[in-house]
Amino acid sequence: MLHYPLTNLLPVDANGYYGEFGGAYVPEQLKANIDELDKAFRRYVDDSAFNAEFDRLLHDYVGRPTPLYRADKLSEIYGTNIFLKREDLNHTGAHKINNAIGLGLLAKRMGKRRIIAETGAGQHGVAAATVAALLGLECSVYMGAEDVKRQRPNVLRMEMLGATVVPVTSGNSTLNNAVDAALAAWCAAPDETFYLIGSAVGPHPYPEMVARFQSVISFEIKKQLKEMTGRENPDYVIACIGGGSNAAGAFYHFINEPDVKLIAVEAAGKGVETDETAASITQGTATVLHGSRTMVLTDDGGNVREAYSISAGLDYPGIGPLQAHLASIGRTKVVAVDDDAALKGALMLSRTEGIIPALESSHALGALDAVKFGPDDVVVINLSGRGDKDMDTYMKGCII
Ligand SMILES: *Cc1c(COP(=O)(O)O)cnc(C)c1O
């Protein structure tokens, strides 16, 4: 069984700033709870019993380590060496469970009896509901009414697991509004409730906590690459970004290794030049959203604009502060991949490797066309989740 060192390797200061991004912009009534959370996290993240339980659950329950798979046919097509980090093979089908286990264990240690969560595609809702069932916690999941419709199988899974799904009808009824509703529910009962956030977003210390729990991904990649290729650093790591948690995990142990090129793929939707996009780094401005200062899609009046992507897990108008910072200093290269390119990536992976990826992960595959790789390059793509939940969309996208 692997022991995951949850060491802090992030460019974050004591106030939760990543360069000019981050911080903790919360209403007065939540300040004490944020403090309590920060203290508890710092105490338990270095606690050996907490770590042992995290390691054990990731191994026995989640099924880690996930394989690093050399995709031979894909490698041939692109004339390089492509490895897929198989987060799709985790219990519940995506990387979200890594963080849900970490935060769930923390909630339990803090004596909370109820967790709340937001969800877009439903993957985080399922992960949160799963962990709630496992640890004996009550669970309410806030989900945009539009997403409740387009992600029906995941709604049923959450209900089967005993969670209450709360449809949110404000705004365009998607992820952005679900986060607002979850934050409001947390404000209403902060003492008994633990907000189990699903991405590396929100007020400090959430982005840091989520990134550190997801760091298991790159910790494994290093070990596995060393065994498979003799070197632990790839030339490229590619990951899609909604809020930036799977990217944070896949980049984590390489952030301070300048020879590793990091490619962050955001969802262009119908194109970055249109209003129907989720490309918050390419198109956004720096402002405060959901508790932190970050890159956000805004209109001319500076109001938050609704995001659009074919993928419910990526149509969020913001981005975590770590990803905003890494992009602003040029540590990551940001590529925007549109709906059609993502659909094409999904079909290609299905037909060449026999793996149906999540629509979110398909954006990372879509970025393969945007970079010129050399024949000796080692390229790792974080395959953040599986595509079962997206079959309706794939059928409607007429790609079958
Ligand atoms: C939620 C989700 C994402 C986007 O969230 P991040 O926090 O940016 O990782 C990507 N892929 C899958 C499969 C997801 O479920």
Side-chain angles (χ1 to χ4, degrees), residues 105-312:
L105 288 175
L106 186 59
K108 200 72 186 167
R109 292 287 198 286
M110 290 174 73
K112 307 285 181 184
R113 46 168 207 87
R114 173 173 176 252
I115 60 175
I116 52 173
E118 82 298 333
T119 196
Q123 286 304 110
H124 177 57
V126 169
T130 298
V131 166
L134 176 71
L135 301 178
L137 297 161
E138 259 178 58
C139 180
S140 304
V141 181
Y142 293 81
M143 187 171 190
E146 191 53 41
D147 292 336
V148 170
K149 268 190 266 164
R150 56 179 176 169
Q151 303 290 337
R152 184 90 191 125
N154 274 344
V155 173
L156 299 177
R157 290 163 84 196
M158 287 182 257
E159 287 173 349
M160 176 93 183
L161 290 159
T164 306
V165 179
V166 186
V168 178
T169 52
S170 54
N172 67 350
S173 303
T174 61
L175 182 55
N176 181 34
N177 320 105
V179 180
D180 286 336
L183 282 169
W186 189 27
C187 277
D191 292 333
E192 64 181 46
T193 312
F194 187 97
Y195 182 18
L196 204 156
I197 210 160
S199 188
V201 299
H204 181 67
Y206 276 110
E208 179 189 337
M209 293 194 296
V210 176
R212 287 173 71 175
F213 288 132
Q214 291 291 1
S215 71
V216 302
I217 300 174
S218 49
F219 181 74
E220 289 176 5
I221 293 174
K222 260 185 183 274
K223 273 194 171 324
Q224 292 168 322
L225 264 189
K226 178 89 182 161
E227 277 165 27
M228 296 167 82
T229 70
R231 47 185 273 209
E232 59 177 24
N233 284 359
D235 296 287
Y236 294 88
V237 183
I238 306 179
C240 67
I241 38 176
S245 73
N246 86 87
F251 295 169
Y252 199 90
H253 286 277
F254 304 113
I255 292 174
N256 302 320
E257 310 269 351
D259 53 324
V260 182
K261 298 178 201 70
L262 307 176
I263 300 185
V265 186
E266 51 181 12
K270 298 200 173 147
V272 288
E273 68 291 345
T274 71
D275 281 344
E276 291 176 281
T277 184
S280 22
I281 296 179
T282 311
Q283 284 295 307
T285 46
T287 183
V288 172
L289 176 67
H290 298 143
S292 70
R293 192 181 141 78
T294 190
M295 294 300 283
V296 181
L297 293 172
T298 53
D299 61 21
D300 294 341
N303 303 308
V304 178
R305 213 165 82 190
E306 298 295 350
Y308 163 83
S309 162
I310 191 170
S311 150

Side-chain angles (χ1 to χ4, degrees), residues 24-100:
Y25 298 80
V26 294
E28 207 49 47
Q29 74 259 40
L30 276 186
K31 290 228 160 85
N33 300 85
I34 286 276
D35 265 2
E36 180 202 10
L37 176 65
D38 194 73
K39 284 208 183 74
F41 173 65
R42 294 195 198 281
R43 172 170 164 208
Y44 288 113
V45 76
D46 289 326
D47 175 84
S48 56
F50 181 91
N51 273 270
E53 205 172 347
F54 182 70
D55 294 345
R56 179 183 69 86
L57 287 176
L58 288 196
H59 183 268
D60 298 349
Y61 186 74
V62 174
R64 302 202 73 92
T66 57
L68 184 70
Y69 164 68
R70 188 180 189 285
D72 288 344
K73 287 161 82 189
L74 204 59
S75 297
E76 203 174 298
I77 293 172
Y78 286 94
T80 191
N81 304 284
I82 300 177
F83 292 82
L84 302 176
K85 182 57 174 163
R86 300 290 308 275
E87 292 300 297
D88 59 314
L89 294 177
N90 282 323
H91 178 44
T92 70
H95 68 289
K96 299 258 170 42
I97 191 81
N98 305 324
N99 166 60

